[in-house]
Amino acid sequence: MSSTRRLWWGLAVLLVASFSVLLWAGGEIFRTAPPVPERVVSESGQVVYTKDDIQLGRQVWQSMGGMQLGSIWGHGGYVAPDWSADWLHREAMAVLDGWAVAEGAANYAGLDAETQAKLRARLQPIMRGNTYDPASQTITLPEARVLAASSVSAHYESLFGRDPATASLREAYAMKNDTVPDAAHRKALSAFFWWSAWAAGTERPQIGIVAKGSSEKAVTYTNNWPHEPLIGNTPAAPLWGWSVFSVLFLLAGIGLLGWHYARSHQEEGPTRLPATDPLAMLRITPSMRATAKYFWVVLALFLTQILLGAITAHYQVEGQEAYGFALSDIIPYSITRTWHTQLAVLWIAVAWLATGLYMAPAISGHEPKFQRLGVNFLFGCLLVIVVGSFAGQWLAVQQKLGLASNFWFGHQGWEYADMGRFWQWFLFVGLLLWLTLVGRALWPVLKSETSEIKPIVGLMFLSTVCIGLFFASALMWGEHTHISEVEYWRWWLVHLWVEGFFEVFAAAVMSLIFVKLGLLRAKSAATAVLFATVVFLSGGVLGTLHHLYFVGTPTAVVALGASFSALEVVPLAFIGFEAYHTYRMGKATPWMARYKWPILFFVAVSFWNLVGAGLFGFLINPPLSLYYMQGLNLTALHGHTALFGVYGMLGIALLLFCVRGLRGQMVWHTGPLKLAFWALNIGLAMMALLTLLPLGVLQLIAAIDHGYAYARSAEFMQQPLIDMLVWMRVPGDTVFSVGAVSLAWFVLRLWVAPRRDPVPAGEGAREV
């Protein structure tokens, strides 16, 4: 059996085994998720909340922006608090203050240390005790908690309205006045926040096998997250243990991959390089030419995303205004962050989709009938989806759409999966059309028995199928599906769709480009790409679970997530070899100067893969790390450097490869391209090192010392030092924006003011 065939079998076995375990883990999460009670009552029988209240409150939360305004269980925005942690802390303090008054003090803070300790010991059993009765589906609360819940609810009803008493807090949280204008909806919203905090502070029943006589401490439904010293929410023993094992798995994986590399890696003999660029005389088919408009839209979406990112960051300083202008009345923080995060995925995805449409006919030399019509029709559909979904989200956040229509046409409230269900279905159908267009153009190669590039094309097509089909994970939940289940499927979308199969697709496309250029042998390239895919997906599929440590997850799932997310980092430890190899290919022959800047952007992908995805990713991946860091700016540090540094840079590299084919006969004025490359990389580094990293470290220290709620509180986030660090984003953002504008200007000139290159195609390239 050939090495390529063995790798194909290995990949098949890996995918079947990994997804079997992932589906099992989902079943365990669904089984152990915190219950949503039919009723919440006091010990005297008074009804405090009903299931309808909690469900209505969740609908309200989703319609106002959901995870884009603060967070739930650590997932979401960073300026407003995590509402679960905030409610839990406020309720605990309200109970303690009530008891302190009975002790003759003004409040809990006025008591001596001994009395405070006595009250905390009294508090923990009533906060952590599980009074849920499965038979009646009722939670019974002691009177002290009922009074505390009423007090905290009043605070939230004030905060989400326009009460002057909480105006300064709304400004600190970047919330507009009347975020939820309906008083009944504000009351229901409080019920939902109460339930999310109850799950975070209530011990779940023992699950799985427990040794007889075991003294294992019970944990809450969210594995004792968030850190809240008042009620004894501290890291559980399994978080410590599996964090240690994740480091061991990382070291073992690096050792094994290093051994394999040393054993099997041999420098290939010199490849006979073509005298001229093989792609220079590539026949540009009508459908390939039609992809140009996709790349124009990519740049427009990219520039818009940067503008919205700047507005979103500025809200952290001024709250409701932009230099004195009441911007939040028109585009509040929750909508600017929604559009900013959604555009990040959209422009990168459109760049990769356009690359697939361009490369398929280029690889096969086959232009199917009506291919151009399909490319143009898909383009129109994408524009309708972007405009329609964004308009629906704006109407939802402004509370103009109504709860009945919100789920289908407005704002679902789930970060990176915000668009209404109608638009998700529309996008899914569009992706199936894309899959069909790419597949039919690749078909001559796929059915060929002699093509050397068939294995790589097969992997590209397989990843295309997965990209098309796996978006269906966004359709797996309904409006009232349990949050634990929604989070499970949402991370299928964010982790497997964006971080998984798109990366396989990009690796296959880049290998095909180098094979077509004559820089790699087809057989060795196929083996390398298949091996890289096997190594990447070995940790990547089950690594999805590291996003789910604190959403009602049993210990076994935590163990799997910790172990396999560590393996995700293993191939990144050797990313320097890939960067060097790519850079060397860029200097292999004089005509490769035509591809200097696409190659350099690909080298940047390797760098940020190591730093953003590798170092900053593993910083937060172990359970113990994420226990304290989830939802802090260290999470944003990983998100920015990995999402743009890896996938954004890769999208730009692919865009430039395609533009080289579309406008390869024109003079490339590469001054703006050089500026774009360095400004984007330096700007991203400044953003990370001047703001996100130091701010995240300060929050981490605060979370460890005082609890998670304090690290996200207005008291902490409105300090002068924090304001200064936020303002320190301006230089990096400015440099980054210059790079983006320069890139757009470079591409625009190739169509608006082109000048034919007098140098014969493929013999070289001049930088002007």
Side-chain angles (χ1 to χ4, degrees):
M1 186 183 292
S2 67
S3 59
T4 301
R5 185 175 293 273
R6 284 197 300 270
L7 286 169
W8 274 113
W9 275 108
L11 179 59
V13 171
L14 169 69
L15 290 176
V16 170
S18 296
F19 278 101
S20 297
V21 175
L22 187 60
L23 289 169
W24 169 83
E28 289 298 292
I29 291 172
F30 299 172
R31 183 174 66 86
T32 61
V36 181
E38 287 293 334
R39 296 189 313 157
V40 180
V41 300
S42 68
E43 290 176 335
S44 62
Q46 172 194 355
V47 176
V48 182
Y49 299 120
T50 66
K51 185 174 185 177
D52 289 342
D53 295 333
I54 296 169
Q55 297 284 32
L56 176 61
R58 176 176 146 184
Q59 286 181 280
V60 174
W61 169 72
Q62 291 178 250
S63 72
M64 73 181 194
M67 289 178 174
Q68 304 294 356
L69 185 64
S71 57
I72 291 289
W73 293 350
H75 294 300
Y78 306 107
V79 176
D82 180 88
W83 304 112
S84 310
D86 190 65
W87 181 291
L88 190 62
H89 181 76
R90 288 180 182 276
E91 183 181 341
M93 285 302 303
V95 172
L96 290 171
D97 284 340
W99 288 341
V101 170
E103 294 281 344
N107 51 39
Y108 171 76
L111 296 171
D112 59 80
E114 182 179 351
T115 307
Q116 285 184 346
K118 182 182 71 174
L119 293 185
R120 285 198 304 273
R122 180 182 169 193
L123 173 72
Q124 289 189 18
I126 73 162
M127 293 295 289
R128 296 180 66 88
N130 193 336
T131 59
Y132 174 71
D133 177 16
S136 62
Q137 299 184 47
T138 300
I139 294 173
T140 303
L141 297 181
E143 297 297 337
R145 289 196 66 178
V146 173
L147 290 173
S150 175
S151 172
V152 180
S153 178
H155 165 75
Y156 280 116
E157 291 173 50
S158 168
L159 178 66
F160 284 89
R162 56 168 55 248
D163 188 349
T166 48
S168 61
L169 208 52
R170 279 193 295 278
E171 184 177 348
Y173 293 162
M175 294 170 56
K176 69 185 185 76
N177 293 326
D178 270 341
T179 299
V180 180
D182 187 283
H185 285 177
R186 292 198 297 271
K187 189 173 183 62
L189 179 65
S190 296
F192 171 66
F193 288 161
W194 172 86
W195 174 83
S196 72
W198 173 85
T202 301
E203 293 177 355
R204 67 184 176 201
Q206 290 283 4
I207 55 177
I209 300 173
V210 180
K212 186 177 181 180
S214 171
S215 60
E216 178 184 352
K217 292 184 178 179
V219 296
T220 69
Y221 286 102
T222 57
N223 286 314
N224 281 3
W225 187 93
H227 181 220
E228 179 50 72
L230 289 176
I231 69 164
N233 259 16
T234 56
L239 300 188
W240 290 87
W242 286 108
S243 295
V244 172
F245 274 104
S246 72
V247 176
L248 294 179
F249 278 117
L250 172 63
L251 296 177
I254 291 175
L256 286 173
L257 191 59
W259 171 81
H260 172 83
Y261 187 88
R263 180 175 179 272
S264 63
H265 180 72
Q266 296 179 352
E267 292 289 337
E268 286 191 329
T271 303
R272 181 175 295 179
L273 298 174
T276 59
D277 179 4
L279 296 181
M281 302 306 294
L282 179 70
R283 182 177 71 91
I284 304 298
T285 68
S287 70
M288 292 168 66
R289 200 173 301 281
T291 61
K293 63 178 75 69
Y294 284 78
F295 298 115
W296 304 337
V297 168
V298 164
L299 293 171
L301 296 179
F302 182 31
L303 292 174
T304 305
Q305 189 224 350
I306 292 172
L307 176 62
L308 289 166
I311 296 172
T312 302
H314 188 79
Y315 268 132
Q316 191 168 347
V317 179
E318 288 202 65
Q320 297 173 324
E321 299 181 341
Y323 302 102
F325 182 70
L327 194 62
S328 66
D329 292 340
I330 303 170
I331 47 172
Y333 173 88
S334 58
I335 201 67
T336 63
R337 190 176 190 274
T338 297
W339 290 348
H340 175 68
T341 55
Q342 198 161 298
L343 281 172
V345 175
L346 281 173
W347 77 258
I348 293 170
V350 171
W352 293 13
L353 297 180
T355 299
L357 294 171
Y358 175 87
M359 288 300 300
I363 291 165
S364 67
H366 172 59
E367 174 83 349
K369 193 175 183 180
F370 302 122
Q371 184 79 352
R372 180 182 180 183
L373 175 62
V375 170
N376 289 331
F377 180 74
L378 179 60
F379 178 77
C381 290
L382 290 174
L383 290 184
V384 171
I385 290 168
V386 171
V387 174
S389 64
F390 278 33
Q393 288 161 353
W394 184 84
L395 290 170
V397 169
Q398 295 287 16
Q399 300 291 290
K400 297 179 183 295
L401 193 60
L403 297 184
S405 302
N406 179 68
F407 178 76
W408 279 92
F409 299 100
H411 200 308
Q412 284 202 44
W414 309 109
E415 191 178 26
Y416 297 112
D418 302 288
M419 64 175 62
R421 177 53 51 85
F422 172 81
W423 303 110
Q424 288 178 331
W425 270 108
F426 198 165
L427 181 54
F428 178 59
V429 173
L431 288 169
L432 294 182
L433 174 59
W434 173 74
L435 164 60
T436 303
L437 292 171
V438 174
R440 67 203 294 259
L442 291 174
W443 187 246
V445 180
L446 293 172
K447 70 178 183 180
S448 171
E449 296 296 331
T450 58
S451 174
E452 289 186 335
I453 62 173
K454 182 178 178 179
I456 313 178
V457 173
L459 190 60
M460 175 184 170
F461 180 66
L462 177 62
S463 62
T464 302
V465 171
C466 291
I467 290 169
L469 297 182
F470 268 77
F471 185 78
S473 56
L475 310 174
M476 297 301 291
W477 64 80
E479 187 171 10
H480 300 295
T481 302
H482 195 288
I483 289 184
S484 297
E485 298 179 34
V486 175
E487 283 295 271
Y488 173 77
W489 291 115
R490 185 172 75 91
W491 286 109
W492 271 57
L493 176 70
V494 178
H495 186 90
L496 288 174
W497 190 66
V498 176
E499 299 180 35
F501 295 111
F502 264 120
E503 182 149 329
V504 175
F505 169 81
V509 169
M510 293 302 295
S511 294
L512 283 168
I513 289 172
F514 288 138
V515 169
K516 281 287 188 179
L517 289 172
L519 300 174
L520 287 177
R521 292 189 178 94
K523 184 176 180 180
S524 60
T527 302
V529 172
L530 277 168
F531 179 75
T533 300
V534 170
V535 172
F536 174 72
L537 293 181
S538 295
V541 175
L542 291 178
T544 306
L545 297 173
H546 83 261
H547 298 285
L548 303 172
Y549 294 147
F550 311 119
V551 297
T553 303
T555 301
V557 176
V558 174
L560 286 169
S563 304
F564 284 91
S565 65
L567 293 180
E568 283 186 277
V569 185
V570 169
L572 304 181
F574 291 85
I575 208 73
F577 297 122
E578 178 187 335
Y580 172 73
H581 185 56
T582 304
Y583 182 72
R584 189 181 62 178
M585 284 194 292
K587 293 179 171 293
T589 184
W591 55 259
M592 275 300 293
R594 292 168 54 84
Y595 300 98
K596 173 183 177 181
W597 292 106
I599 290 288
L600 283 178
F601 272 102
F602 192 65
V603 171
V605 170
S606 298
F607 172 79
W608 289 109
N609 233 333
L610 175 61
V611 175
L615 296 179
F616 294 150
F618 191 72
L619 172 67
I620 66 172
N621 275 4
L624 186 61
S625 300
L626 198 59
Y627 177 85
Y628 291 107
M629 299 179 192
Q630 181 162 281
L632 304 185
N633 276 272
L634 290 174
T635 307
L637 172 70
H638 165 60
H640 281 75
T641 54
L643 184 58
F644 179 78
V646 179
Y647 303 105
M649 291 289 187
L650 189 51
I652 293 172
L654 295 174
L655 177 151
L656 292 174
F657 267 116
C658 296
V659 169
R660 171 52 83 182
L662 291 168
R663 309 300 284 176
Q665 307 303 316
M666 306 303 168
V667 174
W668 274 35
H669 298 270
T670 54
L673 202 51
K674 180 178 181 179
L675 175 61
F677 175 81
W678 289 111
L680 288 171
N681 280 281
I682 293 172
L684 181 60
M686 292 172 67
M687 186 190 313
L689 298 178
L690 297 182
T691 297
L692 297 177
L693 180 59
L695 178 53
V697 170
L698 290 176
Q699 282 187 294
L700 173 62
I701 295 170
I704 294 172
D705 284 347
H706 304 291
Y708 185 85
Y710 175 72
R712 293 283 302 271
S713 67
E715 180 185 359
F716 178 83
M717 294 300 292
Q718 296 301 308
Q719 297 178 86
L721 176 60
I722 303 299
D723 276 351
M724 184 195 73
L725 288 174
V726 174
W727 277 110
M728 289 296 288
R729 275 196 63 160
V730 173
D733 286 354
T734 302
V735 173
F736 189 87
S737 300
V738 168
V741 172
S742 185
L743 175 66
W745 172 244
F746 165 77
V747 174
L748 181 66
R749 286 187 65 180
L750 289 176
W751 270 271
V752 174
R755 184 159 60 89
R756 185 166 291 275
D757 193 344
V759 176
E763 292 187 4
R766 296 178 299 117
E767 292 195 1
V768 179

